Amino acid sequence: MQNKKNSNFAEKKWWRDAIFYQIYPRSFNDSNGDGIGDLEGIKEKIPYLKDLGIDAVWLNPVYPSPNKDYGYDISNYQAINPEYGRFEDFTELLDAFHDQGLKVIMDLVVNHTSTEHAWFQDSRRNPNGPYGDFYIWRDGKESGAETPNNWNSFFGGSAWKYDPLRGQYYLHLFEEHQADLNWANPKVREEVFRIMNWWFSQGIDGFRMDVINMISKDNSFPDDCRDLDELAIKGTPYFINGPELHTYLKEMWEQVLSDPSKFAVGECPGAGFEDVLALSGLDRKELDAVFQMELMEIDHGNGGKWDIRPWKASEFSAKLTRWQQVLEGRAWPANFLSNHDQPRALSRLADDDEYHFESSAMLAVILLSLTGTPFIYYGEEIGMPNADFTSISDYRDIDTLNFFALERERGRDENELLKIIRYMSRDNARSPMQWNGKPYGGFSSTEPWIPMGRRYTQINAEQDLAAERSVYKEYQKLISLRKKTAALGYGSFEPVESDHEQLIAFMKRHQQGDYLIYANMSGRNALGQLSLLPDSLPEGFTMELEYSNYKRTTLHEQELKDGILNLRPYEACILRIVVYP
Ligand code: NOJ
């Protein structure tokens, strides 16, 4: 009995078949020796990307920015940051990608702009001018000395900043130089849609939309009166999936996105199942896909990301299962294990040292076996671990630095904080791409804007490609396996061992064949119980090994006979279910 629920995904879309590669341009490749990655540098590496087998790239923001949040504070939406190149460099890069058959999506950051954006500067000077209502301005409470409400910024402290020029507070859900746009103003929406259409007219293929589920706020701006952990963010119920979100996105779809070749993937922190279905359900005409964020909270405690707690394989499996199953046939997932906001998955979820190769390939098996579009993050394909900086002066990320400063003020111990930061900081995943073991890692000829990851002389693309066991080559194998195996990218998901302490196991089922995936997420041998496979499998089936990250070419007779799969540390296998006549 085959499960055919997933047939709703049968409609061909380029982005459903695509494997994406996310590039953080500042750290990818520096062509002009200023220590900052650039567009020309990316262009030089197109052959490397093409060989990997990917189909599309997402570029983190490349627009002019004062870099308070490294590009997520945009001061001009229709230009290129001169640190990265000229506008012509951008169009050349786009053409070069397109010539190789690779698509390009850009970051759309329109929940907020930089306070240096001309709109904001005008808004603070001319409350009654054309941009006066482009941002969220409010008077303080009572005497005016107190912020309009108790909401927090994601990067620490109040979400409100007083502007003496305008004599009012403006809302900033992120850093104080990232002022939230007022989407309730139709003129703001008109401008955003105009800018998006303009980028499409330049030839881009889609957008990754930054915190797009925060654009609508509860306009009564109430205090958040929940009893929350000290580190938790106050205000979220009033701006995550806010009241007009769907109205705005439907307008956006009608005015910009209705052409089916345009891809829109949303970053929607805090979105639950119902929200994701409402945002990206197949009939919704809003977004094409939403990133699956919940896995990234696996090690977060009640106080959020800086409140680290241990995680278990069984929880990982439960989260994966829930999201894959709830969305099945209803909304297309976008999957990732690492990005520029997370520590590297290799260091977080596996062993980046003794079992470096096995761990890297095991995570690749998970990512590339899920239904939905996979996003590989630069460096993941060579097993780049956390940058693991040992001194606070090496960190650049405002979120990390604010956390450190605020907690120091509260009296927390410096070493305790550094330990947390070494594990969780976003800078772990923003250090320069490790191309080789020479000074500055082949990334640049000069000292980079952020230090190289601590282990770049041992872990880099040159070494990896020359090694007998190359992570890059495992990615190539897995990408090509995924491309010819409909069950991996499109199949229905059935958990096989959901309560195992060490491993995760699931089936991917499809009319064209069923597959079984095992991933040992621990550094100890683990036993998979083949007897736990679903009853619905055909009578007399057996299994053939399609992939293993260890040197095994087949399942051992004994394993099949005993119904027990012996998985070595971080071993991952993909098995095909076969029935011989
Ligand atoms: C989410 C982005 O991914 C992150 O890097 C950024 O800091 C915030 N949104 C604010 O734009």
Side-chain angles (χ1 to χ4, degrees):
M1 189 180 60
Q2 297 281 347
N3 186 330
K4 295 201 173 138
K5 273 197 282 176
N6 53 344
S7 56
N8 282 352
F9 292 145
E11 198 190 333
K12 274 273 169 206
K13 306 268 192 190
W14 68 262
W15 40 265
R16 287 202 181 133
D17 285 332
I19 291 166
F20 271 78
Y21 186 95
Q22 181 191 343
I23 295 179
Y24 193 72
R26 205 172 179 79
S27 295
F28 195 60
N29 189 28
D30 170 18
S31 73
N32 63 351
D34 62 358
I36 296 172
D38 47 47
L39 300 181
E40 185 58 32
I42 297 175
K43 200 163 94 192
E44 287 170 6
K45 297 296 181 184
I46 292 179
Y48 170 91
L49 297 173
K50 181 73 187 166
D51 276 359
L52 184 60
I54 55 129
D55 308 284
V57 297
W58 152 28
L59 297 180
N60 283 101
V62 289
Y63 318 94
S65 161
N67 287 329
K68 300 286 183 207
D69 189 19
Y70 291 106
Y72 284 94
D73 48 325
I74 296 172
S75 52
N76 180 353
Y77 285 110
Q78 289 175 271
I80 292 294
N81 184 341
E83 289 176 312
Y84 301 148
R86 300 159 307 153
F87 197 81
E88 300 82 81
D89 297 316
F90 176 79
T91 44
E92 276 172 30
L93 177 65
L94 190 59
D95 289 347
F97 271 124
H98 284 163
D99 287 348
Q100 292 299 315
L102 303 178
K103 310 262 189 199
V104 178
I105 69 168
M106 304 276 284
D107 223 302
L108 180 80
V109 189
V110 289
N111 174 69
H112 43 267
T113 73
S114 161
T115 50
E116 288 186 22
H117 195 291
W119 297 342
F120 186 82
Q121 288 303 322
D122 202 292
S123 194
R124 62 194 288 249
R125 289 198 171 83
N126 303 307
N128 299 319
Y131 299 100
D133 198 22
F134 258 49
Y135 295 85
I136 299 174
W137 294 101
R138 288 289 180 281
D139 293 328
K141 271 187 191 160
E142 289 155 21
S143 65
E146 215 185 306
T147 55
N149 66 26
N150 68 350
W151 298 1
N152 291 127
S153 146
F154 282 98
F155 296 161
S158 169
W160 298 94
K161 171 89 180 164
Y162 184 71
D163 179 38
L165 202 59
R166 170 132 171 179
Q168 281 188 305
Y169 288 87
Y170 65 88
L171 181 74
H172 62 90
L173 294 182
F174 294 89
E175 208 265 341
E176 64 181 53
H177 297 89
Q178 293 167 293
D180 280 54
L181 281 165
N182 177 19
W183 276 68
N185 177 353
K187 292 252 162 46
V188 167
R189 307 200 297 273
E190 207 178 286
E191 272 298 278
V192 170
F193 303 156
R194 183 188 63 71
I195 291 164
M196 292 174 75
N197 279 321
W198 182 83
W199 276 105
F200 278 115
S201 76
Q202 303 300 313
I204 68 161
D205 302 292
F207 281 114
R208 171 269 183 189
M209 302 186 176
D210 192 62
V211 291
I212 198 68
N213 63 333
M214 300 191 193
I215 55 178
S216 163
K217 277 80 177 175
D218 178 332
N219 275 332
S220 62
F221 292 95
D223 274 326
D224 185 343
C225 298
R226 294 172 302 163
D227 184 17
L228 293 175
D229 187 282
E230 210 181 10
L231 285 175
I233 310 292
K234 289 201 197 86
T236 51
Y238 307 109
F239 59 76
I240 287 188
N241 309 312
E244 299 302 328
L245 176 63
H246 298 295
T247 315
Y248 299 158
L249 289 180
K250 285 200 183 305
E251 251 181 59
M252 183 191 278
W253 191 88
E254 271 157 28
Q255 299 197 27
V256 185
L257 296 168
S258 61
D259 173 344
S261 70
K262 294 174 178 170
F263 178 48
V265 53
E267 185 216 22
C268 300
F273 300 126
E274 292 308 321
D275 305 314
V276 170
L277 288 169
L279 287 159
S280 59
L282 295 181
D283 52 352
R284 292 290 299 174
K285 301 193 170 165
E286 294 187 24
L287 302 175
D288 293 313
V290 168
F291 281 113
Q292 304 302 287
M293 307 285 284
E294 208 201 313
L295 270 186
M296 297 297 119
E297 290 163 15
I298 187 124
D299 47 11
H300 294 185
N302 293 336
K305 68 182 263 187
W306 299 115
D307 176 19
I308 301 165
R309 66 174 179 99
W311 63 276
K312 293 197 191 117
S314 53
E315 278 175 70
F316 189 89
S317 163
K319 287 185 194 293
L320 210 58
T321 304
R322 275 204 306 271
W323 280 99
Q324 286 273 291
Q325 290 193 328
V326 171
L327 301 192
E328 191 167 305
R330 302 164 79 192
W332 184 253
N335 301 309
F336 68 99
L337 294 175
S338 284
N339 71 15
H340 64 292
D341 288 332
Q342 307 292 337
R344 291 206 173 253
L346 173 61
S347 306
R348 185 182 198 182
L349 302 174
D351 178 348
D352 64 14
D353 191 13
E354 187 180 350
Y355 293 106
H356 174 266
F357 169 84
E358 292 79 2
S359 295
S360 307
M362 179 275 291
L363 292 171
V365 167
I366 297 177
L367 178 65
L368 293 167
S369 299
L370 297 176
T371 293
T373 301
F375 284 72
I376 298 167
Y377 185 55
Y378 85 95
E380 208 169 7
E381 77 285 4
I382 56 161
M384 255 172 79
N386 274 350
D388 194 25
F389 302 139
T390 51
S391 157
I392 193 69
S393 63
D394 289 339
Y395 290 86
R396 304 285 178 268
D397 166 32
I398 188 72
D399 185 21
T400 305
L401 297 175
N402 278 358
F403 166 71
F404 184 79
L406 288 170
E407 292 305 297
R408 284 293 289 145
E409 257 169 47
R410 285 189 184 139
R412 269 173 91 180
D413 175 66
E414 188 170 334
N415 289 328
E416 179 201 346
L417 292 172
L418 206 53
K419 193 165 157 219
I420 297 174
I421 287 171
R422 279 178 75 171
Y423 175 85
M424 191 51 94
S425 170
R426 311 194 287 185
D427 279 343
N428 273 311
R430 295 179 177 189
S431 58
M433 175 69 183
Q434 298 169 189
W435 295 106
N436 61 40
K438 299 200 188 104
Y440 315 129
F443 162 75
S444 177
S445 54
T446 190
E447 188 165 344
W449 70 280
I450 187 172
M452 297 300 300
R454 240 166 27 98
R455 292 162 61 203
Y456 84 91
T457 53
Q458 302 122 49
I459 300 170
N460 56 63
E462 194 176 277
Q463 296 237 357
D464 180 75
L465 280 161
E468 199 196 319
R469 298 190 309 162
S470 152
V471 177
Y472 181 95
K473 289 182 187 158
E474 297 304 296
Y475 267 87
Q476 283 179 319
K477 270 190 229 164
L478 286 163
I479 289 173
S480 87
L481 178 62
R482 178 179 166 106
K483 290 203 164 161
K484 56 177 203 235
T485 311
L488 298 181
Y490 286 88
S492 65
F493 182 105
E494 277 181 49
V496 172
E497 295 209 39
S498 21
D499 284 330
H500 206 293
E501 276 184 15
Q502 294 164 269
L503 60 79
I504 65 167
F506 52 91
M507 291 211 57
K508 290 303 296 293
R509 311 194 67 178
H510 192 272
Q511 294 89 323
Q512 293 175 29
D514 293 337
Y515 288 75
L516 180 60
I517 289 95
Y518 275 92
N520 181 359
M521 300 190 82
S522 84
R524 288 167 294 127
N525 288 335
L527 302 179
Q529 306 284 336
L530 295 172
S531 59
L532 296 176
L533 294 182
D535 294 339
S536 56
L537 283 174
E539 194 86 1
F541 76 89
T542 185
M543 282 167 275
E544 286 201 347
L545 185 74
E546 285 286 334
Y547 173 85
S548 165
N549 56 350
Y550 271 77
K551 276 197 183 126
R552 66 153 89 213
T553 48
T554 167
L555 283 189
H556 300 294
E557 283 285 305
Q558 200 58 42
E559 286 177 313
L560 282 174
K561 210 161 4 104
D562 298 348
I564 289 185
L565 190 62
N566 290 297
L567 292 161
R568 284 155 288 181
Y570 299 102
E571 180 166 3
C573 296
I574 302 180
L575 304 162
R576 186 161 54 96
I577 304 289
V578 278
V579 190
Y580 291 113

